[in-house]
Amino acid sequence: MDDEELERPNSSSEKRYFPESLDSSDVDEEGLLACEDLELNPFDGLPYSSRYYKLLKEREALPIWKEKYSFMENLLQNQIVIISGDAKCGKSSQVPQWCAEYCLSIHYEHGGVVCTQAHKQTAVQLALRVADEMDVNIGHEVGYVIPFENCCTSETILRYCTDDMLQREMMSNPFLGSYGVVILDDTQERSIATDVLLALLKDVLLARPELKLVINASPLLASKLGSFYGNVPLIAVENRRPVEVVYLGGAQKEPFESVVHLIFEIHHSGEQGDIVAFLACEQDIEKAYEIVCQEGSNLNPDLGELVVVPLYPKEKCALFKPNEETDKRCHVYQRRVVLTASSGESLIWSNAVRFVIDVGVERRKVYNPRIRASSLVMQPVSQSQAETRKQILGSSSSGKLFRLYSEEFATRAMRPLKAAEMQEASLTSMVLFMKRVDIAGLGHCDLMNRPAPESLMQALEDLDYLAALDNDGNLSEFGIIMSEFPLDPQLSKSILASCEFDCVDEMLTIAAMVTAPSCFLRLPRGAEAAALTRWKTFLHPEGDHFTLINIYKAYQDATLNSTSEHCVEKWCQDHFLNCSALRMADVIRAELVEIIKRIELPYAEPAFGSKENTLNIKKALLSGYFMQIARDVDGSGNYLMLTHKQVAQLHPLSSYSITKTTPEWVLFHKFSISENNYVRITSETSPELFMQLAPQYYFSNLPPSESKDILQQAVDHLSPIPTMKKEQKMCEKCPETTEQRCTLQ
């Protein structure tokens, strides 16, 4: 996506509902009012507002604009068009509008326009911006679809969506019959969903010769895409801006120290402009934030105020723009310092940025299928990423880029393109999706970068363990239902199991809370003790999953008992909880409830707190997460994974860490190999429950270990789980599903 085009979030929904008041500046503007009276917007039939013409002038100044005629001509004559341009050229906002004009010219004979983005905030901001530029209502002619939020109607002409949402749409609409043009943007992010769409659309284009595909790509990726699709037209957008690049030698042992030094050096120089610093990881952001805030408060006030803005990887695409009105009211100059570990095109910037500091390395999460866990590894960024970091500088010639590495490092150590996520992540969700679309005849998938065979085999094996596949390797009835949920397959399986164990209400709350961002606030220094005191009121003795239910219920109570949103936010702040994350959990839960109702799964009355309900929740969790079990091997909190020899500790925010208890066996939601091998979101389980609910062939495939011997000993003490009646009840709700298939394997 493009940065420059997103600097002004619009208020078009208000503008179109209420007449715009015109002042003398409107009248003086080259007679535009006369045009406004005569010219009608072809998309809604209303006269253009004066704001439309103001924004049109800005659009015409974008580098992409001079390629409009060439693009429209190529779109008419070809089925596929590739556009190569950097992050400031305007391709993400202008090309979709031109495609909407094309669809309008043929009276939407083949459908409207859809434009994918890698990140949800980008999709929302682009939709807002484009609705403003087109002079139409957001949510009507222009809309967006992101996970758990749909701001579109059946009449929407142009919709922005995340790539995973378009992928999910293909499950019910495999040939994308409601669209005449599909635009894949942000392709340089190389997300799994984008790579899958690039592959599947090859077959869709053959089946629908009238469908047009437009691909927006960075210059380094454009040639690779051209080879992937064959002889297709490529439009290259030139956008040369003078930027002074300063290389500052080899990699530092502690890169954030060099970053902090540079920040203060720039500030002391007196040169105006905001600073963006790309650090390696979250921990470096926290360290740099603490130092800059502490030392910045002691600076000479004549230099201006340093406003530090930390943007963490999970908060990608957060809108960063100067508050110009605040600046006008302030007599003291304010310089914003943004600390982030994200790539340049994952963020939305303003033209106020004059300095960029790039450490040249990043901590990436790389999945290892052999141990079913991710490792956090330090790697050089790609040359493409380094280039996009350069591109976020404003259009001023005074922009400076400080690279904390040598030119030789950039040439030899940095790969040309960012690694495809498909080659570094778990593929279980992707394989489940591919199995689903295979039903519609889209089984062939010519991927641009083939994933490792070992990763594919592990994904198929996991789906088999989860009973998502039948004996022929196709989706089982369970697998089809699991694919309906926009969740990790293990979590989907736990929800299906909860239907059997009469704890759907509680399981949906857990699913929503673990899918939303963390509900715990990042704590400022000195607030740890107060936060722990508050959090202890939510702790549940059975583990973190149950604690999350307590937090959600407390949030619901606070919402019901509050007279305004401000009161709810204050309650969250007082309890050191993230209000936006809890709101998101509420939205996710509501959508999951709708899915349960749509596919007519049984929904028992909530019974949280009873002994039977607690056991049932553990059974449901274990039905999906039996592959994520660990045992305390020495009684001191050193947990050995059941599937491999990695040792981990409980996360400091775990209820067990806070209460200083160490259960022998735990089920965990997340685990990553790093300096601190933490298992996150854990709840106590037992060998007996594991042997009752884990598939026998999964247990047989476990490597020999003391833990496996203990589990084997538990078999002799087992009594059958009384689930037959519940299986029958589950099967009554699953059309054409036999009782045998509904048995949780």
PDB file of all heavy atoms in Angstrom, residues 1-2 91-92 116-119 122 126 163 184-191 194 216-217 221 317 345-346:
ATOM      1  N   MET A   1       0.836  -1.191   0.000  1.00  0.00           N
ATOM      2  CA  MET A   1       0.000   0.000   0.000  1.00  0.00           C
ATOM      3  C   MET A   1       0.870   1.239   0.000  1.00  0.00           C
ATOM      4  O   MET A   1       2.049   1.185   0.226  1.00  0.00           O
ATOM      5  CB  MET A   1      -0.944  -0.052   1.193  1.00  0.00           C
ATOM      6  CG  MET A   1      -0.308   0.171   2.535  1.00  0.00           C
ATOM      7  SD  MET A   1      -0.962   1.675   3.205  1.00  0.00           S
ATOM      8  CE  MET A   1       0.473   2.652   3.255  1.00  0.00           C
ATOM      9  N   ASP A   2       0.283   2.379  -0.280  1.00  0.00           N
ATOM     10  CA  ASP A   2       1.042   3.608  -0.409  1.00  0.00           C
ATOM     11  C   ASP A   2       0.837   4.489   0.803  1.00  0.00           C
ATOM     12  O   ASP A   2      -0.236   4.544   1.379  1.00  0.00           O
ATOM     13  CB  ASP A   2       0.596   4.366  -1.662  1.00  0.00           C
ATOM     14  CG  ASP A   2       0.772   3.507  -2.908  1.00  0.00           C
ATOM     15  OD1 ASP A   2       1.835   2.890  -3.003  1.00  0.00           O
ATOM     16  OD2 ASP A   2      -0.144   3.452  -3.741  1.00  0.00           O
ATOM     17  N   LYS A  91      -0.335   4.252  -6.194  1.00  0.00           N
ATOM     18  CA  LYS A  91      -0.991   3.138  -6.894  1.00  0.00           C
ATOM     19  C   LYS A  91      -2.108   2.495  -6.085  1.00  0.00           C
ATOM     20  O   LYS A  91      -3.083   1.992  -6.655  1.00  0.00           O
ATOM     21  CB  LYS A  91       0.040   2.082  -7.300  1.00  0.00           C
ATOM     22  CG  LYS A  91       0.786   1.413  -6.151  1.00  0.00           C
ATOM     23  CD  LYS A  91       1.872   0.469  -6.669  1.00  0.00           C
ATOM     24  CE  LYS A  91       2.542  -0.297  -5.535  1.00  0.00           C
ATOM     25  NZ  LYS A  91       3.276   0.562  -4.596  1.00  0.00           N
ATOM     26  N   SER A  92      -2.010   2.497  -4.759  1.00  0.00           N
ATOM     27  CA  SER A  92      -3.006   1.799  -3.943  1.00  0.00           C
ATOM     28  C   SER A  92      -4.345   2.523  -3.881  1.00  0.00           C
ATOM     29  O   SER A  92      -5.372   1.890  -3.631  1.00  0.00           O
ATOM     30  CB  SER A  92      -2.481   1.598  -2.511  1.00  0.00           C
ATOM     31  OG  SER A  92      -1.353   0.762  -2.513  1.00  0.00           O
ATOM     32  N   THR A 116      -7.164  -6.076  -2.485  1.00  0.00           N
ATOM     33  CA  THR A 116      -6.677  -6.709  -1.258  1.00  0.00           C
ATOM     34  C   THR A 116      -5.525  -5.925  -0.649  1.00  0.00           C
ATOM     35  O   THR A 116      -4.759  -5.258  -1.344  1.00  0.00           O
ATOM     36  CB  THR A 116      -6.192  -8.147  -1.519  1.00  0.00           C
ATOM     37  OG1 THR A 116      -5.034  -8.110  -2.372  1.00  0.00           O
ATOM     38  CG2 THR A 116      -7.283  -8.979  -2.173  1.00  0.00           C
ATOM     39  N   GLN A 117      -5.427  -6.025   0.676  1.00  0.00           N
ATOM     40  CA  GLN A 117      -4.320  -5.452   1.443  1.00  0.00           C
ATOM     41  C   GLN A 117      -3.813  -6.513   2.409  1.00  0.00           C
ATOM     42  O   GLN A 117      -4.559  -7.396   2.826  1.00  0.00           O
ATOM     43  CB  GLN A 117      -4.774  -4.221   2.223  1.00  0.00           C
ATOM     44  CG  GLN A 117      -5.232  -3.062   1.354  1.00  0.00           C
ATOM     45  CD  GLN A 117      -4.113  -2.470   0.536  1.00  0.00           C
ATOM     46  OE1 GLN A 117      -2.989  -2.319   1.014  1.00  0.00           O
ATOM     47  NE2 GLN A 117      -4.406  -2.137  -0.712  1.00  0.00           N
ATOM     48  N   ALA A 118      -2.541  -6.409   2.791  1.00  0.00           N
ATOM     49  CA  ALA A 118      -1.967  -7.391   3.716  1.00  0.00           C
ATOM     50  C   ALA A 118      -2.381  -7.122   5.153  1.00  0.00           C
ATOM     51  O   ALA A 118      -2.399  -8.027   5.981  1.00  0.00           O
ATOM     52  CB  ALA A 118      -0.440  -7.397   3.600  1.00  0.00           C
ATOM     53  N   HIS A 119      -2.741  -5.857   5.468  1.00  0.00           N
ATOM     54  CA  HIS A 119      -3.054  -5.489   6.846  1.00  0.00           C
ATOM     55  C   HIS A 119      -4.409  -4.798   6.914  1.00  0.00           C
ATOM     56  O   HIS A 119      -4.762  -3.997   6.043  1.00  0.00           O
ATOM     57  CB  HIS A 119      -1.968  -4.570   7.420  1.00  0.00           C
ATOM     58  CG  HIS A 119      -0.592  -5.149   7.309  1.00  0.00           C
ATOM     59  ND1 HIS A 119      -0.193  -6.243   8.031  1.00  0.00           N
ATOM     60  CD2 HIS A 119       0.462  -4.802   6.526  1.00  0.00           C
ATOM     61  CE1 HIS A 119       1.058  -6.537   7.713  1.00  0.00           C
ATOM     62  NE2 HIS A 119       1.475  -5.677   6.806  1.00  0.00           N
ATOM     63  N   THR A 122      -4.686  -0.875   6.983  1.00  0.00           N
ATOM     64  CA  THR A 122      -4.433  -0.290   5.670  1.00  0.00           C
ATOM     65  C   THR A 122      -5.693  -0.312   4.822  1.00  0.00           C
ATOM     66  O   THR A 122      -6.021   0.666   4.143  1.00  0.00           O
ATOM     67  CB  THR A 122      -3.320  -1.066   4.947  1.00  0.00           C
ATOM     68  OG1 THR A 122      -2.245  -1.280   5.846  1.00  0.00           O
ATOM     69  CG2 THR A 122      -2.836  -0.311   3.735  1.00  0.00           C
ATOM     70  N   LEU A 126      -7.427   3.131   3.492  1.00  0.00           N
ATOM     71  CA  LEU A 126      -7.529   3.346   2.054  1.00  0.00           C
ATOM     72  C   LEU A 126      -8.979   3.526   1.632  1.00  0.00           C
ATOM     73  O   LEU A 126      -9.295   4.372   0.792  1.00  0.00           O
ATOM     74  CB  LEU A 126      -6.899   2.165   1.297  1.00  0.00           C
ATOM     75  CG  LEU A 126      -5.383   2.246   1.101  1.00  0.00           C
ATOM     76  CD1 LEU A 126      -4.826   0.914   0.622  1.00  0.00           C
ATOM     77  CD2 LEU A 126      -5.022   3.350   0.114  1.00  0.00           C
ATOM     78  N   ASP A 163      -6.293  -9.695   2.413  1.00  0.00           N
ATOM     79  CA  ASP A 163      -6.135 -10.828   1.490  1.00  0.00           C
ATOM     80  C   ASP A 163      -6.759 -12.108   2.033  1.00  0.00           C
ATOM     81  O   ASP A 163      -7.315 -12.914   1.275  1.00  0.00           O
ATOM     82  CB  ASP A 163      -4.653 -11.040   1.129  1.00  0.00           C
ATOM     83  CG  ASP A 163      -3.736 -11.034   2.339  1.00  0.00           C
ATOM     84  OD1 ASP A 163      -4.239 -11.120   3.485  1.00  0.00           O
ATOM     85  OD2 ASP A 163      -2.509 -10.933   2.157  1.00  0.00           O
ATOM     86  N   LEU A 184      -4.649  -7.152  -6.542  1.00  0.00           N
ATOM     87  CA  LEU A 184      -3.827  -7.667  -5.444  1.00  0.00           C
ATOM     88  C   LEU A 184      -2.759  -6.627  -5.132  1.00  0.00           C
ATOM     89  O   LEU A 184      -1.850  -6.392  -5.926  1.00  0.00           O
ATOM     90  CB  LEU A 184      -3.176  -9.005  -5.827  1.00  0.00           C
ATOM     91  CG  LEU A 184      -4.128 -10.172  -6.118  1.00  0.00           C
ATOM     92  CD1 LEU A 184      -3.328 -11.447  -6.392  1.00  0.00           C
ATOM     93  CD2 LEU A 184      -5.098 -10.405  -4.975  1.00  0.00           C
ATOM     94  N   ASP A 185      -2.910  -5.985  -3.977  1.00  0.00           N
ATOM     95  CA  ASP A 185      -1.963  -4.950  -3.552  1.00  0.00           C
ATOM     96  C   ASP A 185      -1.097  -5.524  -2.432  1.00  0.00           C
ATOM     97  O   ASP A 185      -1.392  -6.593  -1.885  1.00  0.00           O
ATOM     98  CB  ASP A 185      -2.745  -3.727  -3.070  1.00  0.00           C
ATOM     99  CG  ASP A 185      -1.907  -2.453  -3.073  1.00  0.00           C
ATOM    100  OD1 ASP A 185      -0.726  -2.519  -3.459  1.00  0.00           O
ATOM    101  OD2 ASP A 185      -2.432  -1.399  -2.696  1.00  0.00           O
ATOM    102  N   ASP A 186      -0.060  -4.815  -2.085  1.00  0.00           N
ATOM    103  CA  ASP A 186       0.827  -5.264  -0.997  1.00  0.00           C
ATOM    104  C   ASP A 186       1.446  -6.631  -1.267  1.00  0.00           C
ATOM    105  O   ASP A 186       1.745  -7.382  -0.339  1.00  0.00           O
ATOM    106  CB  ASP A 186       0.052  -5.327   0.335  1.00  0.00           C
ATOM    107  CG  ASP A 186       0.204  -4.064   1.164  1.00  0.00           C
ATOM    108  OD1 ASP A 186       0.940  -3.174   0.731  1.00  0.00           O
ATOM    109  OD2 ASP A 186      -0.422  -3.975   2.233  1.00  0.00           O
ATOM    110  N   THR A 187       1.633  -6.981  -2.524  1.00  0.00           N
ATOM    111  CA  THR A 187       2.149  -8.324  -2.834  1.00  0.00           C
ATOM    112  C   THR A 187       3.564  -8.531  -2.307  1.00  0.00           C
ATOM    113  O   THR A 187       3.966  -9.669  -2.042  1.00  0.00           O
ATOM    114  CB  THR A 187       2.136  -8.574  -4.354  1.00  0.00           C
ATOM    115  OG1 THR A 187       2.770  -7.478  -5.025  1.00  0.00           O
ATOM    116  CG2 THR A 187       0.713  -8.723  -4.867  1.00  0.00           C
ATOM    117  N   GLN A 188       4.325  -7.438  -2.134  1.00  0.00           N
ATOM    118  CA  GLN A 188       5.691  -7.572  -1.631  1.00  0.00           C
ATOM    119  C   GLN A 188       5.732  -8.048  -0.181  1.00  0.00           C
ATOM    120  O   GLN A 188       6.771  -8.487   0.297  1.00  0.00           O
ATOM    121  CB  GLN A 188       6.457  -6.252  -1.763  1.00  0.00           C
ATOM    122  CG  GLN A 188       5.965  -5.132  -0.883  1.00  0.00           C
ATOM    123  CD  GLN A 188       4.742  -4.440  -1.436  1.00  0.00           C
ATOM    124  OE1 GLN A 188       4.396  -4.630  -2.607  1.00  0.00           O
ATOM    125  NE2 GLN A 188       4.077  -3.647  -0.626  1.00  0.00           N
ATOM    126  N   GLU A 189       4.589  -7.996   0.528  1.00  0.00           N
ATOM    127  CA  GLU A 189       4.543  -8.515   1.899  1.00  0.00           C
ATOM    128  C   GLU A 189       4.633 -10.036   1.915  1.00  0.00           C
ATOM    129  O   GLU A 189       4.964 -10.634   2.941  1.00  0.00           O
ATOM    130  CB  GLU A 189       3.258  -8.067   2.592  1.00  0.00           C
ATOM    131  CG  GLU A 189       3.207  -6.593   2.939  1.00  0.00           C
ATOM    132  CD  GLU A 189       4.182  -6.229   4.040  1.00  0.00           C
ATOM    133  OE1 GLU A 189       4.287  -6.968   5.039  1.00  0.00           O
ATOM    134  OE2 GLU A 189       4.852  -5.192   3.890  1.00  0.00           O
ATOM    135  N   ARG A 190       4.302 -10.683   0.794  1.00  0.00           N
ATOM    136  CA  ARG A 190       4.425 -12.140   0.606  1.00  0.00           C
ATOM    137  C   ARG A 190       3.696 -12.931   1.691  1.00  0.00           C
ATOM    138  O   ARG A 190       4.191 -13.944   2.199  1.00  0.00           O
ATOM    139  CB  ARG A 190       5.893 -12.567   0.543  1.00  0.00           C
ATOM    140  CG  ARG A 190       6.701 -11.938  -0.570  1.00  0.00           C
ATOM    141  CD  ARG A 190       6.098 -12.179  -1.968  1.00  0.00           C
ATOM    142  NE  ARG A 190       5.849 -13.580  -2.247  1.00  0.00           N
ATOM    143  CZ  ARG A 190       6.770 -14.428  -2.705  1.00  0.00           C
ATOM    144  NH1 ARG A 190       7.988 -13.997  -2.912  1.00  0.00           N
ATOM    145  NH2 ARG A 190       6.456 -15.683  -2.954  1.00  0.00           N
ATOM    146  N   SER A 191       2.508 -12.475   2.058  1.00  0.00           N
ATOM    147  CA  SER A 191       1.705 -13.215   3.033  1.00  0.00           C
ATOM    148  C   SER A 191       1.232 -14.521   2.404  1.00  0.00           C
ATOM    149  O   SER A 191       1.168 -14.651   1.169  1.00  0.00           O
ATOM    150  CB  SER A 191       0.499 -12.386   3.481  1.00  0.00           C
ATOM    151  OG  SER A 191      -0.415 -12.222   2.409  1.00  0.00           O
ATOM    152  N   THR A 194      -1.898 -13.930   0.170  1.00  0.00           N
ATOM    153  CA  THR A 194      -1.610 -13.314  -1.126  1.00  0.00           C
ATOM    154  C   THR A 194      -0.986 -14.314  -2.076  1.00  0.00           C
ATOM    155  O   THR A 194      -1.356 -14.389  -3.258  1.00  0.00           O
ATOM    156  CB  THR A 194      -0.686 -12.091  -0.947  1.00  0.00           C
ATOM    157  OG1 THR A 194      -1.417 -11.041  -0.300  1.00  0.00           O
ATOM    158  CG2 THR A 194      -0.191 -11.574  -2.281  1.00  0.00           C
ATOM    159  N   ASN A 216      -0.377  -4.895  -7.963  1.00  0.00           N
ATOM    160  CA  ASN A 216       0.520  -3.812  -7.548  1.00  0.00           C
ATOM    161  C   ASN A 216       1.712  -4.426  -6.825  1.00  0.00           C
ATOM    162  O   ASN A 216       1.526  -5.215  -5.888  1.00  0.00           O
ATOM    163  CB  ASN A 216      -0.191  -2.839  -6.616  1.00  0.00           C
ATOM    164  CG  ASN A 216      -1.217  -1.986  -7.351  1.00  0.00           C
ATOM    165  OD1 ASN A 216      -1.167  -1.852  -8.567  1.00  0.00           O
ATOM    166  ND2 ASN A 216      -2.144  -1.409  -6.607  1.00  0.00           N
ATOM    167  N   ALA A 217       2.897  -4.086  -7.247  1.00  0.00           N
ATOM    168  CA  ALA A 217       4.087  -4.706  -6.658  1.00  0.00           C
ATOM    169  C   ALA A 217       5.216  -3.699  -6.558  1.00  0.00           C
ATOM    170  O   ALA A 217       5.248  -2.690  -7.266  1.00  0.00           O
ATOM    171  CB  ALA A 217       4.526  -5.902  -7.504  1.00  0.00           C
ATOM    172  N   LEU A 221       9.935  -6.954  -7.033  1.00  0.00           N
ATOM    173  CA  LEU A 221       9.086  -8.140  -7.166  1.00  0.00           C
ATOM    174  C   LEU A 221       8.382  -8.198  -8.513  1.00  0.00           C
ATOM    175  O   LEU A 221       7.972  -9.277  -8.957  1.00  0.00           O
ATOM    176  CB  LEU A 221       8.045  -8.157  -6.040  1.00  0.00           C
ATOM    177  CG  LEU A 221       7.086  -9.355  -5.976  1.00  0.00           C
ATOM    178  CD1 LEU A 221       7.846 -10.667  -5.762  1.00  0.00           C
ATOM    179  CD2 LEU A 221       6.052  -9.165  -4.884  1.00  0.00           C
ATOM    180  N   CYS A 317       0.501  -0.805  10.861  1.00  0.00           N
ATOM    181  CA  CYS A 317      -0.420   0.064  10.139  1.00  0.00           C
ATOM    182  C   CYS A 317      -1.094   1.080  11.025  1.00  0.00           C
ATOM    183  O   CYS A 317      -2.071   1.695  10.633  1.00  0.00           O
ATOM    184  CB  CYS A 317      -1.486  -0.750   9.407  1.00  0.00           C
ATOM    185  SG  CYS A 317      -0.790  -1.965   8.326  1.00  0.00           S
ATOM    186  N   GLU A 345       6.549  -0.551   4.504  1.00  0.00           N
ATOM    187  CA  GLU A 345       5.245  -0.569   3.843  1.00  0.00           C
ATOM    188  C   GLU A 345       4.155  -1.125   4.739  1.00  0.00           C
ATOM    189  O   GLU A 345       2.994  -1.190   4.346  1.00  0.00           O
ATOM    190  CB  GLU A 345       5.320  -1.368   2.540  1.00  0.00           C
ATOM    191  CG  GLU A 345       6.029  -0.606   1.452  1.00  0.00           C
ATOM    192  CD  GLU A 345       5.782  -1.188   0.078  1.00  0.00           C
ATOM    193  OE1 GLU A 345       5.224  -2.290  -0.022  1.00  0.00           O
ATOM    194  OE2 GLU A 345       6.149  -0.523  -0.891  1.00  0.00           O
ATOM    195  N   SER A 346       4.471  -1.549   5.945  1.00  0.00           N
ATOM    196  CA  SER A 346       3.452  -2.014   6.882  1.00  0.00           C
ATOM    197  C   SER A 346       2.877  -0.874   7.705  1.00  0.00           C
ATOM    198  O   SER A 346       2.052  -1.095   8.566  1.00  0.00           O
ATOM    199  CB  SER A 346       4.051  -3.049   7.845  1.00  0.00           C
ATOM    200  OG  SER A 346       4.517  -4.160   7.132  1.00  0.00           O
TER     201      SER A 346
END
